[in-house]
Amino acid sequence: MHIEYLRYFYEVASMRSISKAANNAHISQPALSQQIQRLEENLNHKLLIRSNKGVELTEAGRIVEKYARNLIKSYDNMLEDLDAIMNNNSTIRINSGLTLGTYALPCTLYSVQEKFSKFVFNLSSSPSDEVEQNIMNDVYDVGFIYGKPKEEGLAYTKVGMDRLVVIASADFHIKQEIYLKDLLDYRLIMLDERFRERRQLEEHLKCLGYKLNDFNISLNLDSTESVKSTVVKGYGLSFVPYISVKKELYTKQLKEIHVQDFQMNCDIYLIYKKEKDIGKSVKTFIQYLKKIGEKSFC
């Protein structure tokens, strides 16, 4: 089976449209349809149901889509490693939780690369549960998440610490120091449930005698940037990782509200697959992160 057949199928499955996928791949729609047909012939299963509204996946199509992403990524990883031999460098593929990948790791990896100039870092961000699966499936070499991993097949080491803070816009009318019960009177802007830090907050609040649903949650948003921009406009308060708002707190776009009876630390873990034949460069990277720990995070 040609890997390009699978790649084209995955594009179609993701977009649920042959015409959009053809346009994105810069090939004609008939040519793309022919590639999908060849894949169906190779697998001896019909994968797509075509209609005027686009395409739907058959049961077999859903199975192929499930595995296609990892197969394509593994193939691309192989090409990267072969290219690394030619260029005498080492590629380290990193998958991280959404917040860490946006605000912490770019600076961290830059500082690490100053010491290891032959390392090439490929960083991608995903929800933490996906990060664990991606490491287990060998799609990435290492991962960074908040909290210990759930997958038993993963090794982990604590490499840093963050904390959850309550933020408001600079001119939001609220006392600088309050108690958790006072937050019940304000609207909250929250990260959605894909973020592990939200689920950890729910567990922490339970220990303090509260349920997250007790609070007046007016919006659930899918990115920290969306939360910050909404809070800056004065639409409510939010719980967010400190690492994501350091800049805005410093420039006084936002202010931290000190909640007397709330303190929540979020440990940052480096994760990798147990009993895996780890390459020399990845092993060096892991050992270095273990050594420098929290000092590595900017």
Side-chain angles (χ1 to χ4, degrees):
M1 180 181 67
H2 201 291
I3 191 69
E4 291 307 314
Y5 297 169
L6 201 60
R7 198 185 299 277
Y8 286 134
F9 166 77
Y10 187 71
E11 286 287 322
V12 173
S14 298
M15 297 181 177
R16 295 297 195 267
S17 168
I18 291 178
S19 59
K20 289 180 181 178
N23 184 62
N24 190 57
H26 305 292
I27 64 172
S28 68
Q29 188 170 333
L32 178 56
S33 295
Q34 189 177 47
Q35 301 279 21
I36 300 298
Q37 184 178 351
R38 287 175 180 170
L39 178 63
E40 290 177 325
E41 290 171 355
N42 285 342
L43 297 175
N44 198 29
H45 281 282
K46 187 174 181 63
L47 304 178
L48 300 174
I49 300 174
R50 297 160 176 81
S51 71
N52 293 332
K53 295 181 180 180
V55 297
E56 294 182 10
L57 298 179
T58 64
E59 183 178 359
R62 287 192 292 273
I63 291 173
V64 175
E65 182 189 30
K66 175 182 175 182
Y67 290 100
R69 178 175 177 272
N70 286 351
L71 289 171
I72 294 167
K73 182 63 179 175
S74 295
Y75 179 79
D76 290 342
N77 289 349
M78 179 188 69
L79 295 182
E80 286 179 0
D81 288 345
L82 292 172
D83 186 59
I85 294 173
M86 296 290 293
N87 294 308
N88 194 29
N89 59 28
S90 298
T91 299
I92 300 177
R93 287 171 283 271
I94 303 167
N95 199 202
S96 78
L98 299 168
T99 301
L100 293 170
T102 302
Y103 302 102
L105 287 173
C107 179
T108 297
L109 296 178
Y110 179 80
S111 64
V112 173
Q113 195 171 48
E114 287 188 320
K115 182 173 178 62
F116 301 102
S117 60
K118 293 294 184 179
F119 287 5
V120 175
F121 296 111
N122 288 350
L123 172 63
S124 179
S125 299
S126 309
S128 293
D129 293 345
E130 289 185 21
V131 173
E132 293 191 27
Q133 288 299 314
N134 286 335
I135 302 302
M136 287 296 297
N137 293 330
D138 298 320
V139 179
Y140 293 89
D141 300 309
V142 298
F144 291 86
I145 59 174
Y146 283 120
K148 294 179 181 179
K150 300 175 182 177
E151 291 286 345
E152 294 183 358
L154 292 174
Y156 58 88
T157 185
K158 180 183 171 183
V159 292
M161 182 185 292
D162 198 3
R163 61 188 177 93
L164 228 57
V165 296
V166 177
I167 57 168
S169 64
D171 56 357
F172 194 91
H173 185 66
I174 186 174
K175 292 180 180 179
Q176 194 65 34
E177 294 188 357
I178 62 173
Y179 291 90
L180 266 175
K181 63 181 179 62
D182 298 323
L183 285 176
L184 297 170
D185 299 326
Y186 297 92
R187 290 189 298 177
L188 291 185
I189 316 298
M190 296 296 300
L191 293 166
D192 66 34
E193 293 184 351
R194 294 182 308 146
F195 289 79
R196 184 167 291 182
E197 46 266 48
R198 173 183 170 133
R199 303 200 299 270
Q200 291 174 334
L201 172 63
E202 289 189 65
E203 292 300 317
H204 189 71
L205 288 175
K206 283 181 183 179
C207 296
L208 298 175
Y210 291 87
K211 294 180 180 178
L212 188 55
N213 290 336
D214 293 337
F215 295 85
N216 181 17
I217 300 175
S218 60
L219 284 172
N220 292 296
L221 300 177
D222 64 356
S223 77
T224 311
E225 285 299 308
S226 298
V227 170
K228 289 195 296 184
S229 63
T230 306
V231 173
V232 165
K233 292 176 182 176
Y235 295 152
L237 310 178
S238 187
F239 291 89
V240 294
Y242 173 73
I243 206 167
S244 68
V245 290
K246 285 196 301 183
K247 178 182 176 182
E248 289 79 8
L249 293 175
Y250 179 77
T251 58
K252 301 189 184 305
Q253 284 183 284
L254 295 170
K255 61 184 177 183
E256 180 180 352
I257 307 303
H258 298 283
V259 182
Q260 298 279 21
D261 51 348
F262 176 83
Q263 182 176 351
M264 180 179 166
N265 292 327
C266 301
D267 293 333
I268 301 170
Y269 284 88
L270 169 67
I271 63 173
Y272 48 97
K273 192 174 179 181
K274 290 180 182 178
E275 300 176 359
K276 178 185 175 182
D277 185 16
I278 298 174
K280 182 179 178 181
S281 58
V282 176
K283 188 177 296 184
T284 300
F285 175 71
I286 292 171
Q287 290 173 345
Y288 183 67
L289 263 292
K290 286 181 178 181
K291 180 180 178 181
I292 62 177
E294 292 186 43
K295 296 178 183 177
S296 66
F297 287 92
C298 306

